[in-house]
Amino acid sequence: MAKILVTNDDGIHSRGIKAAVEALQDLGKVYVVAPMFQRSASGRAMTLHRPLRAKRIKLKGAKAAYALDGMPVDCVIFAMARFGKFDLAVSGINLGENMSTEITISGTASAAIEAATHDIPSIAMSLEVNREKHKFGEGEEINFSVAKSFLKRISKAILSNGMPKGVDMLNINAPYDAHENTPIELTKLAKRMYMASVEERIDPKGNPYYWIVGTQCPKDTLEPGTDMYALKVERKVSVTPITLNMTAKVNFSDVRRHLQL
């Protein structure tokens, strides 16, 4: 029977991780290792300068589950040390989309990337939310049923057939209004998802502090064929094949001449 790792960056108590376990429990033995707390935008961060604490918890549908007081990447490393090699790693279902080259910031995507570096077929699964407050667990109940069905369908195919040649990880984003007949689009990463800026504010004592904020790139600037265009404009499920080798596909002789090396 297949061994499946489930992790995330929203934390062990996220509704999305429970939904992922429900989607995958019929496909194999599911093990969960996830952060104790919200770790969004943690990227590839690892905990190297203090010890990690782990707490075993009960999670319906999981053979074993641990909450770790570290980062998503830590969770993958801990899971492999504790349970050995996995046949599939799934990070999610994340509350909020993770798209564009900014997936390197995402703790969700980074956990899947970490698993892929250990030759584990990996999926980062995210569900668009229509209001920002849903990202942090507030507001009306989010319907994960369609995202679960897409995750199960694609996970089953990977467990049966492996990853496509040259693909290390899949980054999947589903619209919040998706239904069972929503088309799936194979996409490339958009250049950017957010335009970041810094706001200066003043605390009650008159001292300045700074808050990083961002606005999503306007729809009319999105490039067809990208993950953002598929989700935001076409309202399709975006599936982006990711390779870990970020070496530019260029002629090294041309680069050498250009840089006068």
Side-chain angles (χ1 to χ4, degrees), residues 5-8 12 17 31-35 65-66 68 75-76 78-79 83:
L5 170 63
V6 173
T7 188
N8 72 353
I12 192 75
I17 207 165
Y31 298 79
V32 177
V33 181
Y66 281 88
L68 197 70
C75 293
V76 175
F78 178 90
F83 302 117

Side-chain angles (χ1 to χ4, degrees), residues 98 100 103 113 116 122-124 154 158 163-173 184-190 225-227 237-246 249:
N98 283 298
S100 82
I103 63 170
I113 290 170
S122 303
I123 296 172
I154 294 172
I158 291 173
M163 278 287 191
K165 185 178 180 180
V167 178
D168 298 304
M169 167 202 155
L170 297 177
N171 190 52
I172 306 174
N173 286 275
I184 295 175
E185 186 80 6
L186 286 175
T187 59
K188 61 182 181 180
L189 297 176
T226 63
D227 50 2
V237 175
S238 165
V239 177
T240 306
I242 302 294
T243 177
L244 298 179
N245 189 344
M246 295 187 286
K249 293 183 179 180

Side-chain angles (χ1 to χ4, degrees), residues 211-233:
W211 201 284
I212 295 178
V213 296
T215 55
Q216 275 196 11
C217 295
K219 290 182 181 180
D220 59 5
T221 67
L222 302 180
E223 179 186 356
T226 63
D227 50 2
M228 287 192 64
Y229 190 90
L231 187 83
K232 297 296 184 180
V233 178

Side-chain angles (χ1 to χ4, degrees), residues 110-165:
S110 292
I113 290 170
E114 177 64 27
T117 66
H118 298 281
D119 298 321
I120 301 172
S122 303
I123 296 172
M125 180 77 202
S126 302
L127 175 63
E128 180 190 36
V129 292
N130 60 350
R131 285 199 283 179
E132 184 61 26
K133 67 180 182 178
H134 291 161
K135 170 67 180 169
F136 300 104
E138 302 174 9
E140 63 195 47
E141 189 68 23
I142 294 173
N143 185 352
F144 288 97
S145 60
V146 176
K148 285 164 57 177
S149 69
F150 282 111
L151 175 59
K152 183 174 183 178
R153 171 181 168 186
I154 294 172
S155 297
K156 186 176 181 179
I158 291 173
L159 288 170
S160 297
N161 306 320
M163 278 287 191
K165 185 178 180 180

Side-chain angles (χ1 to χ4, degrees), residues 193-210:
M193 182 174 174
Y194 289 102
M195 301 304 296
S197 61
V198 176
E199 289 186 4
E200 180 178 315
R201 303 177 185 179
I202 305 298
D203 69 20
K205 294 185 178 181
N207 299 312
Y209 66 96
Y210 303 91

